Amino acid sequence: MKKKCITLFVFLFFLYLIRFPKEALSASRTGLMLWFQTMLPTLLPFMIAANLMIQLNLMEDLTSFLSPILRPIFRISKNGCFALLMGFVCGYPMGAKVCGDLVRQKRISKEEGQYLLNFCNHASPAYMIGYVLSDSLSLTGSLFPFLLCIYIPPLLFGIISRYLCFPKEFKEGEPGPAKQAGLPFFMNSVEASMSNGFLNITKLGGYMILFSIISSMFTIFPLSSFCKDLFSLLMEITNGTAAMATHKDYFPLTVLLILSGNAFGGFSCMAQTKSMIGGTNLSFLPYICSKGVIAILTGVFTFLLLF
């Protein structure tokens, strides 16, 4: 049954490209420009910086001021603090990428990587404040209550799931390489970090184009604009957020859906996350379930705030 559904979807996707070439081309351009103008300049530097800090074994130096707080609360390692910090500060899919990198290099255990992956791969504050709350929703005044709605649920989920689903202490990961000085070593690390960053950012661009086209497929169906935009939000959160924000008549519901949708991440971010954890044996299904629970919690918090 699963194979038949995949075959049917691929057939419909191919048929859409042939039957509606203008719509598919427009959606492809939208995804490409979103990647070029937003993801490439904002996410690529973080990818390179994260790769460089891992290669130079600078993670503990970065998180030294947060480790005394994060370690007792989440019961994670010092390297785990780095994954948690990068996931929340840098945004999708940096949490998944850092978790995947640390598990591959055995700097954290698979169990700790799974635990962190389930809640630390999240939208960044810069994205939420600048794009979602200010630009798209045009909110004025204090944005702090809205930020609480988006960040309290994953942190709360992380604390509760640590005691319910991961009660045992995590095994210590292998120590990183000894810090080395010298310009040649540093330049080799920079080159390797850039190569890895460009490879991953190119993959993400492909996913953004693909899911932009998938979102456009549903515009040909006789659905209301609200339903079409809601589906777009489920597919790809950046374009979907802009589309959903146009529905001012249902503003409280619109805000609730947008915040919940961004907490879930959309299927485009799901595919990006799957790509980032390749070769790690980290389970993808628990991640999907965790994001669903976090999205529901975000909706509940937002409801209590707005209604």
Side-chain angles (χ1 to χ4, degrees):
M1 182 65 182
K2 182 179 179 181
K3 184 177 180 181
K4 290 182 179 179
C5 292
I6 294 175
T7 302
L8 177 62
F9 170 76
V10 173
F11 175 76
L12 292 176
F13 182 79
F14 183 71
L15 185 64
Y16 177 76
L17 295 178
I18 296 176
R19 178 63 180 82
F20 300 95
K22 290 184 179 180
E23 290 81 355
L25 178 61
S26 177
S28 181
R29 285 174 175 168
T30 300
L32 178 62
M33 294 308 297
L34 180 63
W35 173 81
F36 181 74
Q37 295 179 344
T38 304
M39 181 169 283
L40 183 63
T42 57
L43 193 57
L44 180 60
F46 282 112
M47 284 188 170
I48 296 174
N51 290 334
L52 197 57
M53 283 185 281
I54 292 174
Q55 291 209 22
L56 298 178
N57 201 22
L58 300 176
M59 295 181 291
E60 292 187 14
D61 297 334
L62 178 67
T63 60
S64 59
F65 67 101
L66 285 176
S67 292
I69 301 174
L70 297 179
R71 295 192 71 186
I73 295 176
F74 297 98
R75 295 164 57 202
I76 54 179
S77 64
K78 292 182 179 179
N79 290 339
C81 293
F82 177 74
L84 182 61
L85 177 65
M86 296 300 290
F88 277 92
V89 172
C90 303
Y92 294 116
M94 280 301 297
K97 183 186 184 305
V98 175
C99 285
D101 289 342
L102 294 179
V103 170
R104 290 187 200 95
Q105 298 180 24
K106 299 182 179 180
R107 307 284 286 278
I108 61 175
S109 66
K110 176 188 173 183
E111 292 75 18
E112 184 174 3
Q114 185 70 64
Y115 164 68
L116 289 168
L117 174 68
N118 289 346
F119 76 98
C120 81
N121 194 42
H122 207 61
S124 70
Y127 167 81
M128 291 302 303
I129 294 173
Y131 180 76
V132 176
L133 300 177
S134 298
D135 292 346
S136 299
L137 291 172
S138 302
L139 294 176
T140 57
S142 176
L143 301 179
F144 185 70
F146 298 94
L147 294 177
L148 290 179
C149 292
I150 198 73
Y151 291 111
I152 290 297
L155 294 173
L156 185 63
F157 177 86
I159 295 172
I160 295 175
S161 64
R162 180 66 175 96
Y163 291 90
L164 295 182
C165 304
F166 300 88
K168 297 181 180 179
E169 292 295 324
F170 294 130
K171 296 179 180 179
E172 287 293 329
E174 296 182 2
K179 295 180 181 179
Q180 300 185 36
L183 185 60
F185 175 77
F186 176 74
M187 293 307 299
N188 289 337
S189 299
V190 171
E191 184 174 350
S193 299
M194 289 181 62
S195 298
N196 181 272
F198 275 106
L199 174 62
N200 285 303
I201 202 71
T202 303
K203 288 182 181 179
L204 302 188
Y207 281 117
M208 296 193 75
I209 293 173
L210 174 63
F211 279 90
S212 291
I213 297 175
I214 294 175
S215 296
S216 72
M217 289 174 61
F218 281 78
T219 61
I220 65 176
F221 292 106
L223 301 172
S224 66
S225 61
F226 187 86
C227 291
K228 292 178 181 178
D229 293 339
L230 178 59
F231 180 82
S232 177
L233 179 66
L234 290 174
M235 288 291 105
E236 202 284 311
I237 55 175
T238 307
N239 284 326
T241 294
M244 281 297 299
T246 60
H247 298 279
K248 303 296 185 182
D249 295 339
Y250 316 95
F251 191 71
L253 178 61
T254 297
V255 174
L256 187 150
L257 291 174
I258 287 177
L259 294 186
S260 298
N262 278 272
F264 182 68
F267 290 105
S268 178
C269 284
M270 292 286 179
Q272 295 169 24
T273 298
K274 178 65 174 176
S275 175
M276 293 296 103
I277 63 174
T280 62
N281 292 323
L282 294 175
S283 299
F284 189 55
L285 182 59
Y287 170 78
I288 297 176
C289 296
S290 299
K291 295 301 288 184
V293 173
I294 291 171
I296 293 173
L297 289 175
T298 301
V300 171
F301 272 73
T302 308
F303 178 85
L304 296 175
L305 173 69
L306 297 179
F307 291 88

